[in-house]
Amino acid sequence: KTPADKMRPSMPELSKLDDAAVADILTFVRTSWGNTGSPVTAKDVAAMRGVIAHKPIDYVPGNGK
């Protein structure tokens, strides 16, 4: 959120994509435009969805929650 907009940006449509599609998108971003990130698998995405499913709706990484 910012002083001009108190709403946090979100990507609600992301939840409609299956794990393989999200993995493909993340891999593309991580390996394009000179990036050298490792590929992301559908298993990686499923694991992360499991982790964030248990976080509060206002969770922000690194804020101690």
Side-chain angles (χ1 to χ4, degrees):
K1 58 188 180 179
T2 67
D5 188 350
K6 300 299 182 198
M7 303 260 323
R8 215 174 280 224
S10 66
M11 296 181 68
E13 298 299 314
L14 188 62
S15 65
K16 295 180 181 179
L17 298 176
D18 65 24
D19 295 343
V22 174
D24 288 344
I25 293 166
L26 293 173
T27 295
F28 174 77
V29 171
R30 289 173 55 86
T31 60
S32 297
W33 308 292
N35 294 321
T36 57
S38 58
V40 177
T41 67
K43 187 175 179 180
D44 295 332
V45 174
M48 186 53 63
R49 286 190 201 237
V51 169
I52 62 176
H54 301 291
K55 301 288 183 187
I57 193 79
D58 62 345
Y59 173 75
V60 176
N63 74 353
K65 284 187 178 180

